[in-house]
Amino acid sequence: MLTVPSFATQVLRRAPRCWGGRRAATTVISGNKTSLQVRERLKREVEQMSARFPGFRPGLVVLQVGDRDDSNLYISMKLKAAAEIGINANHIRLPKTATEEEVLESIADVNENPAVHGLIVQLPLDSINPMDTEKVTNAVAPGKDVDGLTSINAGKLSRGDLGDCFIPCTPNGCMELIAQTGVSVAGKRAVVIGRSKIVGAPMHDLLLWNHATVTTCHSKTADLAAEVGKAEILVVGAGKAEMVKGEWVKKGAVVIDCGINHIPDSSKPSGKRVVGDVHYPTAKERAGFITPVPGGVGPMTVAMLMENTVQSAKRFLQKYQPGKWNITYIKPKVQTPVPSDAVISRSCTPKPIGQLASEIGLLSSEVDLYGRTRAKVKLGVIKRLQAQPDGKYVAVTGITPTPLGEGQRTTTLGLAQALGAHLNLNAIACVRQPSHGPNFGIRGGALGGGYSQAIPLEEVNLHLSGDIQAVTTAASLVADAIEACLILESMQSDRALYDRLVPLKEDQRQFSPIQLRRLKRLGIQKTDPATLTEEEISRFVRLDIDPHTMAWQTGVNTKEPGQSPTGNKFTRTFNIAVASEIMAILALSNSLEDMRKRLARMVVATTRSGQPVTTEDLGVSGALAVLLRDAIKPNLIQTLEGTPVFVHTCPLADIAHGNPSVLADKIALKLVGPEGFVVAETGLGANAGLEKFFDIKCLYSGLRPHVAVLVATVHGLKLHGAGPEVTSGLPLPKEYTEENLSLLERGCGYLKRQVENARAFGIPVVVAVNTFRTDTDAELDLVCRLAKSAGAFNAMRCSHWAEGGAGAVELGQAVQRAAEESSNFKFLYDTELPIANKIRAFAKMVFGADDVEILPEAQRKVELYTKRGYGNLPICMAKTHLSLSNTPEGRGVPAGFILPIQDIGVSIGAGFLCPLVKTTMTPTPGVPEWSCFHDIDLDSETTQDSDHS
């Protein structure tokens, strides 16, 4: 069988034997053949990458400004070559009107896209606006600069760091062609004509670092012919047609012609032909090897571009772990005894928040920075990652809170630290924003504690990014709009009101979109303000609110409760901002548009005829959406160990659903990926926040949890076992500081009930026993044993408060195993049931009540809401969170009681009915015996507040 030698072998066989005297015939170095060999090799390498990492392909982006025909031709060649090799290539074309800033923004987006490994900015930049080409090319990330044009790559090449940079494609192709000749570069005399940064300068450096003696010639070189005559290797890139004459060339030299020039030729249909910088016919007679034009260096430039892209992808894969973040964690310096939260917080230097955002896969364009430690995340990230499967969804709850505290948020953060920093899993914690009430009241902030807390402590406890203030302002705006409506309607005629609502502007009136929607609801199918009748004008301008049925209070956050005169006969009732329906809407919205619709549906009053009045009727819904357009973006901070935390919204858990926002969870689930974990805090205990997490939040978000974590403490269980009452700030009775197994075992009956409550939703439950210094091994073993016998998937003791994430590693492992179990998630009740039936089912299943008593006012509301079409909303029970019964002092598992329903509120915008259990008080700003604000002061030198924790 005849064997055909490879092209490289043929070249070697035809190589000249010497550099002087008699020589072999000139060999034409075909760039077409060599580039084909390169592309075939790259194709095999890409196939190997895809086999090792299924679904992976090198990514290339060509960014073009304008629409030049020559640029389009070059780009089509690059895209075709990429497709043949298996590279995922995309062409981004910006219009000629693009500004430099827009070009830089596009480059920044591609720089941060992990799916792109090579970025080419097609030159020239064809824009009508001024462009700094150097600035634009240097904006490309050096690790993606497959053209090798950035100053960083050029600098590395000039100092010989060839293995740590990208080499410009044309010089790189030239070196490949020289290698095909079999001629060793080392020790040869090389001449480069031209000193551009695209060809000449990098060609000089490449030859130099491959040990040639190099001379660079240019327009000022004296006796160019003599210099060329010395060259054993000649590379020409001057851009001048046939400037190098054949008689100049040293016999047997390697001649690489990089020129592409057009000269007149009447024999060609186009009237011109392409030639290089070397006079090819005469040079071929003297050279040992020579590249033709076309068909020489040109095809190699594209091939080397593909080579650089594949090499970039290989470098990416060296650090790449499928589905894993490239994140740096911080190891805290744990002290014993554990210092105060403020001392610990200030001892830790957080990572720049922009760095953390990048580590978890956020683009810089998706993040609004608030200094170095806080950021807001834009909602567009959900759309970008919509094809990414969600991660594992973990809900953290606790036994009913006691004055001793169960450490629910501390456990949320400690578990996230354990999963991330210690088990090498992508993990994000999602928690509620602390309200100002606790910060200035008794608790003194709420961002975890010990070595499982989020930072920056003071900034988040005080203002964060102003979300609560935005809700407060929005709530006050609604109250002001109601008050203005009452005052103006009592003082002015229909026509005067119409002139206010639809004023003349340049002799014309025009309805706003909100007003057009109101007209449609009134059945008035008109769009021209001049065509309304007097009767239609009256219906349009008058809401006729009954001041005795106003369902809205102004929002405050630290103010004492009460009423204040407005200067007229109407009064205003104050309520805390976190109890506002606006906060619940912010937390339950799935998008900006969803929030806008929910805000418009809020019922804020009733007309004298008994019809509901919404914010849309008031004409204020659009303004509310504008006030909240930034507040809807989740806030990104971090734990002491550098684990990402979303802290967003703070609806109360006793009268609202008490969970961080849907959007924070949705973004987090996309960012962590299918093998990662989102650890979401739920407010209060399993009978309050967890139930509302499932039956309200999951109902509206469409998300389905994998695991529930139930936090318990020995102290809290002893209290539920009929231990003596405790008071915050006072020494604990000995029953809590000494081993008492009988008292603890009685209290574990309550733990059993809460495990059953959590398991009722069809997902595995892991009990986290948050340990204290006074707990004994026997007590902790007893709790774990009884928790598992009650049906918990597992029960683990945790020491994350004292040790950080290291103290919750076993809990993290248990959660990881539980998440692999099959989940049969289900809601507690069917929302289509009649209102009274839902309340009854809820009370029996969650609280263990024998029945409910729906008192007269509540019964009236049942009938009213059913008539208005609100009957299919879920239930958000408003009762004391301190016990399963309606008695705050109740302990353990009550039996044989009737739960009295005193009233029923409704939040149409948020989307739930709120049965009010008798003895429950609507939260208002409290007045504790001794508040933390007495201990808070500002150090004017350090700008830090005093340590009141």
Side-chain angles (χ1 to χ4, degrees):
M1 183 176 70
L2 179 64
T3 303
V4 179
S6 68
F7 174 73
T9 304
Q10 293 180 61
V11 169
L12 289 173
R13 287 178 180 174
R14 288 179 290 179
R17 300 297 179 184
C18 61
W19 289 96
R22 188 175 179 181
R23 64 172 185 84
T26 300
T27 299
V28 177
I29 314 170
S30 172
N32 289 323
K33 291 183 179 179
T34 307
S35 66
L36 179 62
Q37 291 176 338
V38 172
R39 285 185 295 201
E40 287 297 325
R41 171 176 56 80
L42 294 177
K43 184 177 181 180
R44 291 192 297 271
E45 291 179 6
V46 170
E47 289 172 349
Q48 291 169 359
M49 291 182 196
S50 298
R52 184 181 173 194
F53 300 100
F56 178 85
R57 290 172 66 192
L60 175 68
V61 166
V62 182
L63 178 64
Q64 179 186 13
V65 180
D67 194 27
R68 286 173 56 117
D69 290 338
D70 54 350
S71 292
N72 292 335
L73 176 62
Y74 297 144
I75 291 170
S76 65
M77 293 169 55
K78 296 169 185 176
L79 296 178
K80 181 181 178 182
E84 291 173 352
I85 291 169
I87 294 172
N88 183 24
N90 290 288
H91 179 198
I92 299 176
R93 179 187 281 121
L94 300 180
K96 293 185 67 154
T97 55
T99 64
E100 184 178 271
E101 182 180 0
E102 290 171 336
V103 174
L104 294 175
E105 287 176 357
S106 297
I107 291 173
D109 287 343
V110 178
N111 282 343
E112 297 176 23
N113 188 343
V116 177
H117 310 100
L119 170 57
I120 303 165
V121 177
Q122 184 67 41
L123 300 177
L125 300 169
D126 181 25
S127 174
I128 62 174
N129 296 303
M131 291 277 173
D132 184 338
T133 301
E134 187 76 10
K135 183 178 180 181
V136 170
T137 54
N138 274 317
V140 177
K144 297 187 178 184
D145 173 31
V146 290
D147 260 337
L149 298 182
T150 63
S151 297
I152 290 178
N153 278 319
K156 288 182 177 181
L157 174 59
S158 68
R159 69 188 188 192
D161 296 336
L162 304 189
D164 189 33
C165 70
F166 285 117
I167 299 168
C169 300
T170 298
N172 207 10
C174 292
M175 293 301 293
E176 184 74 16
L177 291 173
I178 293 171
Q180 291 291 330
T181 68
V183 175
S184 173
V185 174
K188 298 296 187 296
R189 183 181 292 273
V191 172
V192 177
I193 302 178
R195 51 185 172 180
S196 74
K197 72 172 186 176
I198 296 176
V199 180
M203 194 71 233
H204 172 279
D205 294 335
L206 276 175
L207 290 165
L208 179 67
W209 293 113
N210 279 276
H211 313 298
T213 300
V214 188
T215 300
T216 297
C217 298
H218 44 78
S219 60
K220 303 298 181 182
T221 299
D223 198 356
L224 180 61
E227 295 294 339
V228 170
K230 301 173 187 177
E232 296 167 307
I233 297 174
L234 176 64
V235 180
V236 187
K240 187 174 181 181
E242 299 181 327
M243 66 172 291
V244 175
K245 309 307 178 184
E247 59 267 24
W248 297 0
V249 176
K250 182 183 175 100
K251 289 184 177 181
V254 177
V255 179
I256 307 295
D257 189 351
C258 301
I260 299 178
N261 309 283
H262 294 85
I263 62 173
D265 187 338
S266 58
S267 66
K268 300 292 182 182
S270 64
K272 56 186 177 180
R273 62 187 171 92
V274 177
V275 298
D277 290 353
V278 177
H279 189 266
Y280 183 79
T282 55
K284 184 181 178 183
E285 296 301 315
R286 296 178 64 84
F289 298 89
I290 191 168
T291 59
V293 177
V297 174
M300 291 303 299
T301 298
V302 176
M304 291 300 100
L305 178 62
M306 301 302 119
E307 171 82 36
N308 283 350
T309 303
V310 172
Q311 289 303 318
S312 179
K314 286 181 178 179
R315 293 175 190 174
F316 173 79
L317 289 177
Q318 288 175 354
K319 300 178 181 178
Y320 173 70
Q321 290 180 288
K324 298 288 187 182
W325 296 332
N326 185 18
I327 185 171
T328 302
Y329 292 105
I330 303 167
K331 188 173 182 180
K333 297 177 181 178
V334 176
Q335 299 181 42
T336 305
V338 177
S340 70
D341 291 349
V343 169
I344 294 173
S345 174
R346 292 169 186 168
S347 70
C348 175
T349 301
K351 294 181 290 186
I353 200 66
Q355 175 188 331
L356 176 63
S358 176
E359 288 175 340
I360 65 176
L362 289 167
L363 308 181
S364 61
S365 59
E366 295 169 338
V367 178
D368 291 329
L369 302 181
Y370 282 66
R372 295 185 72 256
T373 56
R374 293 161 285 163
K376 272 196 167 292
V377 178
K378 298 179 182 178
L379 308 186
V381 65
I382 297 177
K383 183 176 181 180
R384 177 173 68 85
L385 298 177
Q386 59 186 349
Q388 165 96 302
D390 287 349
K392 304 294 191 299
Y393 199 20
V394 180
V396 179
T397 186
I399 62 173
T400 298
T402 66
L404 299 169
E406 312 310 312
Q408 188 168 312
R409 184 168 296 176
T410 303
T411 303
T412 300
L413 297 170
L415 174 57
Q417 290 184 152
L419 290 167
H422 300 271
L423 295 176
N424 195 32
L425 297 166
N426 297 348
I428 297 177
C430 292
V431 301
R432 289 183 298 165
Q433 180 180 350
S435 171
H436 292 173
N439 189 52
F440 294 115
I442 297 175
R443 292 171 63 186
L447 274 179
Y451 289 99
S452 291
Q453 59 173 301
I455 51 176
L457 180 67
E458 290 95 339
E459 288 89 336
V460 178
N461 276 328
L462 292 175
H463 298 293
L464 189 54
S465 53
D467 295 350
I468 292 178
Q469 288 84 347
V471 171
T472 301
T473 303
S476 296
L477 177 60
V478 175
D480 291 341
I482 295 172
E483 185 173 324
C485 179
L486 289 168
I487 293 172
L488 291 173
E489 287 186 23
S490 70
M491 296 170 58
Q492 298 193 351
S493 66
D494 292 348
R495 179 55 66 175
L497 289 171
Y498 195 59
D499 289 340
R500 282 179 174 272
L501 290 173
V502 195
L504 275 172
K505 294 181 179 179
E506 299 180 357
D507 297 327
Q508 286 189 338
R509 299 182 192 271
Q510 186 173 357
F511 291 126
S512 70
I514 291 177
Q515 291 174 334
L516 288 172
R517 289 195 291 269
R518 170 161 169 75
L519 287 169
K520 187 175 181 180
R521 289 194 301 276
L522 292 172
I524 302 172
Q525 305 297 326
K526 295 179 179 179
T527 59
D528 184 356
T531 61
L532 265 65
T533 66
E534 293 300 321
E535 185 271 337
E536 289 171 338
I537 287 175
S538 180
R539 290 170 57 204
F540 172 71
V541 299
R542 292 194 179 276
L543 295 180
D544 197 25
I545 293 174
D546 183 349
H548 302 293
T549 62
M550 287 167 52
W552 192 263
Q553 297 85 41
T554 190
V556 297
N557 206 39
T558 60
K559 191 175 179 67
E560 294 184 11
Q563 294 182 325
S564 76
T566 63
N568 295 286
K569 59 184 178 180
F570 309 110
T571 60
R572 180 179 293 183
T573 303
F574 292 107
N575 200 357
I576 57 177
V578 292
S580 166
E581 183 180 358
I582 293 176
M583 182 63 80
I585 286 173
L586 197 66
L588 287 173
S589 296
N590 284 279
S591 65
L592 196 62
E593 178 62 21
D594 185 29
M595 181 188 74
R596 171 67 178 79
K597 292 177 179 178
R598 287 173 178 270
L599 290 170
R601 291 198 300 264
M602 285 196 302
V603 175
V604 297
T606 304
T607 67
R608 295 180 192 275
S609 61
Q611 297 303 308
V613 177
T614 67
T615 58
E616 188 87 334
D617 293 321
L618 281 171
V620 76
S621 55
L624 296 178
V626 171
L627 281 171
L628 299 171
R629 64 184 171 190
D630 288 325
I632 196 174
K633 303 171 188 172
N635 303 289
L636 175 65
I637 57 173
Q638 62 192 288
T639 68
L640 295 170
E641 298 186 16
T643 306
V645 179
F646 281 139
V647 52
H648 195 217
T649 72
C650 51
L652 296 181
D654 36 14
I655 66 163
H657 67 289
N659 288 278
S661 75
V662 165
L663 284 168
D665 291 2
K666 283 194 167 185
I667 292 174
L669 286 164
K670 290 297 182 187
L671 289 172
V672 299
E675 301 303 317
F677 284 80
V678 173
V679 185
E681 168 208 26
T682 73
L684 305 181
N687 59 295
L690 184 69
E691 182 278 327
K692 295 170 183 179
F693 177 93
F694 292 144
D695 284 327
I696 298 176
K697 184 176 180 179
C698 290
L699 176 70
Y700 287 121
S701 70
L703 301 174
R704 297 296 179 261
H706 295 80
V707 184
V709 174
L710 179 63
V711 182
T713 62
V714 169
H715 289 166
L717 291 173
K718 284 181 176 179
L719 186 63
H720 280 289
E725 291 298 321
V726 297
T727 304
S728 295
L730 297 180
L732 291 175
K734 62 181 180 59
E735 286 84 354
Y736 299 101
T737 58
E738 298 176 2
E739 185 175 289
N740 192 325
L741 296 178
S742 60
L743 180 62
L744 178 60
E745 187 167 6
R746 288 198 300 272
C748 282
Y750 181 79
L751 175 62
K752 178 177 182 293
R753 178 64 195 223
Q754 294 290 45
V755 170
E756 292 169 350
N757 277 340
R759 290 191 66 216
F761 295 92
I763 62 173
V765 178
V766 176
V767 173
V769 186
N770 189 15
T771 61
F772 286 74
R773 176 177 53 84
T774 56
D775 298 341
T776 68
D777 287 339
E779 289 176 326
L780 295 171
D781 288 344
L782 176 64
V783 175
C784 291
R785 177 171 57 81
L786 293 179
K788 285 186 278 191
S789 67
F793 175 84
N794 210 333
M796 317 300 298
R797 55 171 83 179
C798 313
S799 55
H800 44 276
W801 179 81
E803 300 178 47
V809 168
E810 290 185 352
L811 173 63
Q813 292 169 334
V815 167
Q816 192 177 7
R817 290 192 298 271
E820 296 169 357
E821 294 289 304
S822 59
S823 174
N824 299 303
F825 176 78
K826 59 185 178 181
F827 297 113
L828 200 61
Y829 52 82
D830 184 352
T831 56
E832 298 298 323
L833 288 172
I835 295 174
N837 290 17
K838 283 186 286 194
I839 296 173
R840 183 169 289 107
F842 185 105
K844 288 184 175 181
M845 288 187 282
V846 176
F847 303 134
D850 283 356
D851 202 350
V852 295
E853 179 186 8
I854 300 181
L855 299 174
E857 180 60 21
Q859 182 58 43
R860 187 182 73 82
K861 295 291 181 63
V862 167
E863 296 167 2
L864 175 65
Y865 296 155
T866 302
K867 180 180 178 181
R868 288 183 177 174
Y870 307 155
N872 61 348
L873 295 177
I875 296 297
C876 184
M877 193 71 75
K879 66 176 286 295
T880 177
H881 58 281
L882 298 175
S883 74
L884 290 174
S885 70
N886 62 315
T887 305
E889 298 78 19
R891 297 288 180 261
V893 182
F897 69 98
I898 306 295
L899 195 68
I901 307 300
Q902 180 175 325
D903 197 357
I904 302 177
V906 64
S907 295
I908 301 303
F912 51 73
L913 297 166
C914 193
L916 185 68
V917 177
K918 192 175 182 180
T919 72
T920 302
M921 294 182 63
T922 302
T924 51
V927 186
E929 293 181 4
W930 185 264
S931 298
C932 285
F933 59 69
H934 292 286
D935 300 319
I936 298 176
D937 203 350
L938 179 68
D939 187 320
S940 58
E941 292 186 7
T942 65
T943 71
Q944 293 179 336
D945 66 20
S946 56
D947 176 11
H948 61 274
S949 59

